[in-house]
Amino acid sequence: MNGAHDLGGMHGFGPVAPEADEPVFHTPWERRAFALTLAMGFTGQWNLDQSRHARETMAPAAYLATSYYEHWLFGLEALLAARGLLEGASSGLRRLDADNVAQALSTGGPTARETASTPAFAPGDNVRARTIHPTGHTRLPRYCRGRVGRVERLRGAHVFPDSHAATGDPEPCHLYSVRFAARELWGPSAPTSDTVMIDLWEPYLERA
Amino acid sequence: MNGAHDLGGMHGFGPVAPEADEPVFHTPWERRAFALTLAMGFTGQWNLDQSRHARETMAPAAYLATSYYEHWLFGLEALLAARGLLEGASSGLRRLDADNVAQALSTGGPTARETASTPAFAPGDNVRARTIHPTGHTRLPRYCRGRVGRVERLRGAHVFPDSHAATGDPEPCHLYSVRFAARELWGPSAPTSDTVMIDLWEPYLERA
Amino acid sequence: MHDHEPDALERRVQELESLLVKRGYVDPAALDRLIETYEHEIGPHNGAQVVARAWTDPDYKARLLADGSAAIAELGFTGRQGEHMVVVENTAQVHNLVVCTLCSCYPWPVLGLPPVWYKAPPYRARAVIEPRIVLAEFGTDVGMDVELRVWDSTAEIRYLVLPERPAGTEHWDAAALAGLVTRDAMIGVARIAAP
Amino acid sequence: MHDHEPDALERRVQELESLLVKRGYVDPAALDRLIETYEHEIGPHNGAQVVARAWTDPDYKARLLADGSAAIAELGFTGRQGEHMVVVENTAQVHNLVVCTLCSCYPWPVLGLPPVWYKAPPYRARAVIEPRIVLAEFGTDVGMDVELRVWDSTAEIRYLVLPERPAGTEHWDAAALAGLVTRDAMIGVARIAAP
């Protein structure tokens, strides 16, 4: 979706504001909202792309006015409500126990998958990011749509976020590291020396 | 600038919400903010494109969270501050008197200008909206940049908003009504029957 | 600077007005006159007269479609935010819809000031990318065999939609017809129902 | 739903936690353990070890650039938000910078949780369109003869920048070097100053 989260290339947000000696969390609620989001993620009631999409459904003005962990909290509440987990106890949810935290974190959740299909593109190929505007979750930033880049590297097949968020189907697709000249993205005012590397799945691309 | 005001094609704002029996103004302050903005416009201290740009410089979260007349009020205050008109009385400002309101409104402020240059494009020509990302005021919406359309009609030469906002220079440029197929703008999910007509100045276009 | 409380906004605007009056930049009576004009004089009833005249006078309709500004000026509607008028006709083949994605440009002399929904993000965002869904929300169904033509008012050209004359009004005169014409039909989000 | 008051947020999260604990979905001790891990154990000192090792062990550096995940795992840093690591090397010819424009993807096992500025709109908006201005604000000047290569983490690949080793550290060992390596240098917004 063309949401407020798709920030690449926007103007008007003012300077980047680094904070000296920034703590990992700024308030007690940030700690708990972070941990609750991770712990509930382990219950298997939704996947990572669904939790990203839940955050993206926040109203644009609210998204831009609130902090990162408020986005997380909004997304968590939205998913809990959508799955009906707040009304009554559901049984059969996997629960992350304290003893399993270290193991669970160090395992993580790799998204690389085997696939029988062969990649449509090879390093050196020119590709165009498609001009599409999916209404659901997508990881194709608006700023590269319609622009031509060059495949630099194959990243293997990975879970495809669009379908993973929409239906839970991982539909693994080949993922490419694509190099775009800054001038191709932004026009003649960009330095010729600059490039942007974007990881894009095969369905986002067409031969150019 | 790629600001929050450039809303065409965004998702996530929810339904359009018409109001039954809507009044022209909803509160007393809206009436006065509206009239103050018009009256101060007549002082000649800024032009229409500069007042649009002033509203666009509102922080994106605030822009999306506030109403239209709050944008106007913000813009008016910003221009007054930028011109130093709040600190002390400036002399020599044109003032709109009550007796002149009807005449001033019915005259308006036409933007058509004579120009010696001949139009670069003619009806039927295919043109591409340039991929440019001006940091100042522009009236080239993001959603058509890089897309190909067809010139339908010449609109004459008009004040060019980019320079008019930046320096006050009207730099008249030819203006074209350009037809874009919805599919060219939004991709294959758009109906083949649909089109978007956009008025674009010559510097926004290149031959396609 | 961004105070959402109505009282705070009232105060903020009152203080600003007081200051600008004190400085001699604005005439409070001119403010009253501006407000009066748009609150009571200029509004969609102007556009309705234009539409009704076009429905009943083929020569006027031809002039209106050829040079909107001049034909609308014949009825006395000119000036601010209507300096360069273009009238687009709805037919069985084409349905026109007007939006301003970048701000909220609107043809003031014929429609008055725009309603909130026209200026708010949902309409400005959606009218160009999913116009048929927006129209459906307004109860307006446009067949897929009809070209849906969306006009994004990015320049100082202002658009007025000439809606289709409803059936069953063949013997009505212009004054009666004007009473049927709605603001929404002249923006293009609605049709005019048969009486 | 969007309450900005800290107290209201504290209450909202406490109530949510109570409910989820009551339902049996979460173990409060697991929450404590998760917080402890990212507040005290995992952080940029992990990435600093990777960088220092690469600076002092050419074979390790070659493995790191060939297969980031495997080489980083040699040092014990694996898992969540670092499952697919790619290390990009800053040189005299190329300066790398990492951003995630769509959310705030970040290589947790080597850098911990991201700072607020990395997650906030200004950096996400500007790093791809005006990276040199952003870098200048961080005090980092990159010559126009150097390719500025911005990595937008749109997928599950996580990027770590291998900064240039500062001059004057030729005889330093890995432990001492690790003390010089900053988070900002591993994101690419800064260089590492000579000691």
Side-chain angles (χ1 to χ4, degrees):
Chain A
M1 64 183 292
N2 297 340
H5 68 282
D6 187 357
L7 285 162
M10 294 287 289
H11 294 132
F13 286 105
V16 178
E19 185 185 334
D21 301 319
E22 183 176 336
V24 175
F25 299 103
H26 290 70
T27 59
W29 74 262
E30 284 193 351
R31 282 190 186 83
R32 306 310 283 184
F34 166 78
L36 282 170
T37 299
L38 261 61
M40 284 306 300
F42 281 101
T43 63
Q45 300 303 294
W46 52 78
N47 62 49
L48 183 60
D49 293 300
Q50 289 168 331
S51 67
R52 285 205 184 106
H53 186 52
R55 291 168 203 153
E56 293 165 3
T57 60
M58 200 168 185
Y63 184 94
L64 296 176
T66 53
S67 71
Y68 185 65
Y69 288 118
E70 280 173 274
H71 301 172
W72 277 39
L73 180 57
F74 173 91
L76 177 58
E77 290 174 336
L79 288 165
L80 288 165
R83 301 291 188 274
L85 293 172
L86 292 172
E87 288 111 51
S90 291
S91 57
L93 270 60
R94 276 188 293 149
R95 194 175 85 147
L96 177 71
D97 293 314
D99 292 347
N100 298 331
V101 165
Q103 180 60 45
L105 291 178
S106 78
T107 301
T111 55
R113 297 287 185 276
E114 294 296 318
T115 176
S117 72
T118 44
F121 309 112
D125 285 355
N126 286 332
V127 287
R128 184 184 298 274
R130 290 181 193 272
T131 299
I132 47 174
H133 293 263
T135 54
H137 181 66
T138 188
R139 299 290 287 183
L140 174 64
R142 272 188 87 180
Y143 74 85
C144 73
R145 296 182 195 166
R147 312 316 312 160
V148 173
R150 196 179 67 207
V151 172
E152 283 294 302
R153 202 175 279 261
L154 276 60
R155 297 275 189 222
H158 283 257
V159 170
F160 183 52
D162 300 47
S163 59
H164 205 222
T167 65
D169 186 338
E171 273 186 29
C173 298
H174 294 286
L175 180 69
Y176 303 87
S177 177
V178 182
R179 171 197 294 260
F180 295 86
R183 291 201 157 203
E184 167 71 9
L185 297 174
W186 311 116
S189 66
T192 50
S193 52
D194 295 2
T195 53
V196 181
M197 310 291 299
I198 315 180
D199 286 320
L200 298 171
W201 283 262
E202 200 164 286
Y204 297 160
L205 300 171
E206 60 194 12
R207 194 167 293 277
Chain B
M1 63 183 292
N2 297 338
H5 69 283
D6 187 356
L7 284 163
M10 293 286 289
H11 294 133
F13 286 105
V16 178
E19 186 184 334
D21 302 316
E22 184 176 336
V24 174
F25 299 104
H26 289 72
T27 58
W29 75 261
E30 285 192 351
R31 280 189 188 85
R32 306 310 282 185
F34 166 77
L36 283 169
T37 299
L38 260 62
M40 285 305 301
F42 282 100
T43 63
Q45 299 304 293
W46 51 78
N47 61 50
L48 182 60
D49 293 301
Q50 288 168 332
S51 66
R52 285 206 185 103
H53 186 51
R55 292 167 202 154
E56 293 165 3
T57 60
M58 199 169 188
Y63 184 92
L64 296 176
T66 53
S67 70
Y68 185 65
Y69 289 117
E70 280 173 274
H71 301 171
W72 276 40
L73 180 58
F74 174 91
L76 176 58
E77 290 173 337
L79 287 165
L80 287 165
R83 300 292 185 275
L85 292 173
L86 293 172
E87 288 110 52
S90 289
S91 57
L93 269 59
R94 275 190 292 150
R95 193 175 88 146
L96 178 69
D97 294 314
D99 291 346
N100 299 330
V101 165
Q103 181 59 46
L105 291 178
S106 76
T107 302
T111 55
R113 296 288 183 275
E114 294 296 318
T115 176
S117 73
T118 44
F121 309 113
D125 283 356
N126 286 332
V127 287
R128 185 185 297 276
R130 288 182 194 272
T131 299
I132 49 174
H133 293 262
T135 54
H137 182 65
T138 189
R139 298 288 289 183
L140 173 65
R142 272 188 88 179
Y143 74 84
C144 72
R145 296 183 195 164
R147 312 318 311 161
V148 173
R150 195 179 68 207
V151 171
E152 283 293 303
R153 203 175 279 258
L154 275 61
R155 298 273 189 222
H158 283 255
V159 170
F160 184 50
D162 300 48
S163 60
H164 204 222
T167 65
D169 186 337
E171 275 187 28
C173 297
H174 294 286
L175 179 68
Y176 302 88
S177 177
V178 182
R179 171 197 295 260
F180 294 86
R183 291 203 157 200
E184 168 70 10
L185 297 173
W186 311 116
S189 66
T192 49
S193 52
D194 294 2
T195 54
V196 181
M197 309 292 299
I198 315 180
D199 285 320
L200 298 171
W201 282 262
E202 200 164 285
Y204 297 161
L205 300 170
E206 61 196 11
R207 195 167 291 277
Chain C
M1 293 289 276
H2 320 301
D3 207 323
H4 305 291
E5 283 194 44
D7 286 356
L9 280 163
E10 293 294 347
R11 270 198 309 279
R12 182 170 149 204
V13 175
Q14 276 164 22
E15 285 165 15
L16 183 62
E17 179 174 338
S18 300
L19 183 68
L20 296 178
V21 169
K22 195 177 99 186
R23 292 265 188 272
Y25 304 154
V26 300
D27 170 11
L31 302 181
D32 295 339
R33 190 71 198 92
L34 285 163
I35 293 164
E36 212 171 75
T37 304
Y38 289 100
E39 200 156 28
H40 301 298
E41 297 167 18
I42 298 182
H45 52 279
N46 290 2
Q49 288 182 53
V50 173
V51 169
R53 172 80 183 272
W55 283 345
T56 52
D57 178 345
D59 289 344
Y60 181 77
K61 180 176 161 183
R63 292 199 299 282
L64 185 68
L65 295 176
D67 182 347
S69 310
I72 290 169
E74 290 179 36
L75 305 194
F77 311 133
T78 62
R80 196 180 172 91
Q81 288 299 312
E83 293 89 348
H84 307 285
M85 289 295 308
V86 167
V87 177
V88 292
E89 183 186 15
N90 280 353
T91 65
Q93 287 78 45
V94 179
H95 184 95
N96 295 282
L97 178 69
V98 182
V99 64
C100 170
T101 61
L102 295 173
C103 50
S104 303
C105 295
Y106 194 72
W108 293 7
V110 283
L111 296 187
L113 299 181
V116 166
W117 63 260
Y118 184 87
K119 302 178 283 191
Y123 185 71
R124 287 165 53 189
R126 299 172 60 210
V128 286
I129 192 172
E130 47 184 35
R132 287 172 183 271
I133 303 177
V134 171
L135 286 173
E137 287 174 13
F138 275 95
T140 305
D141 187 40
V142 175
M144 294 303 292
D145 55 330
V146 175
E147 179 190 341
L148 182 52
R149 199 179 286 170
V150 181
W151 299 83
D152 189 355
S153 308
T154 47
E156 301 307 324
I157 313 298
R158 296 289 165 271
Y159 295 93
L160 181 74
V161 173
L162 175 59
E164 288 181 89
R165 180 172 177 167
T169 61
E170 290 73 15
H171 304 295
W172 293 38
D173 65 11
L177 285 167
L180 289 179
V181 180
T182 64
R183 176 197 69 199
D184 287 2
M186 293 183 281
I187 299 172
V189 292
R191 289 206 187 83
I192 298 176
Chain D
M1 292 290 278
H2 320 302
D3 208 324
H4 305 292
E5 284 194 43
D7 287 355
L9 279 163
E10 292 294 348
R11 269 198 310 279
R12 182 171 151 202
V13 175
Q14 276 165 20
E15 284 165 17
L16 183 63
E17 178 174 340
S18 300
L19 184 69
L20 296 177
V21 169
K22 195 177 100 186
R23 293 265 188 272
Y25 304 153
V26 300
D27 170 10
L31 302 181
D32 295 339
R33 190 72 198 92
L34 285 163
I35 293 163
E36 211 171 77
T37 303
Y38 288 99
E39 201 156 28
H40 301 297
E41 297 168 18
I42 299 182
H45 52 277
N46 290 2
Q49 287 182 54
V50 173
V51 169
R53 173 79 182 273
W55 282 346
T56 52
D57 178 345
D59 291 343
Y60 181 77
K61 179 177 164 183
R63 294 199 298 282
L64 184 68
L65 295 176
D67 181 347
S69 310
I72 290 168
E74 290 179 36
L75 304 194
F77 311 133
T78 62
R80 193 178 175 92
Q81 288 298 314
E83 292 91 345
H84 307 285
M85 289 296 307
V86 167
V87 177
V88 292
E89 184 185 15
N90 280 354
T91 66
Q93 287 77 43
V94 179
H95 185 94
N96 295 281
L97 177 68
V98 182
V99 64
C100 170
T101 60
L102 296 174
C103 51
S104 303
C105 295
Y106 195 74
W108 292 8
V110 283
L111 295 187
L113 300 181
V116 166
W117 63 260
Y118 184 87
K119 300 178 284 191
Y123 185 72
R124 287 164 54 189
R126 299 173 59 209
V128 287
I129 193 172
E130 48 183 36
R132 287 173 184 269
I133 303 177
V134 171
L135 286 172
E137 286 173 15
F138 276 94
T140 305
D141 187 40
V142 174
M144 294 304 292
D145 57 329
V146 175
E147 179 190 340
L148 182 51
R149 198 179 285 172
V150 181
W151 299 82
D152 189 355
S153 308
T154 47
E156 301 308 324
I157 313 298
R158 296 289 165 270
Y159 295 92
L160 181 74
V161 173
L162 176 60
E164 288 181 90
R165 181 172 176 165
T169 61
E170 291 72 16
H171 303 295
W172 292 39
D173 65 11
L177 285 167
L180 290 179
V181 180
T182 65
R183 176 198 69 197
D184 287 1
M186 292 183 280
I187 298 173
V189 291
R191 290 205 185 81
I192 298 174

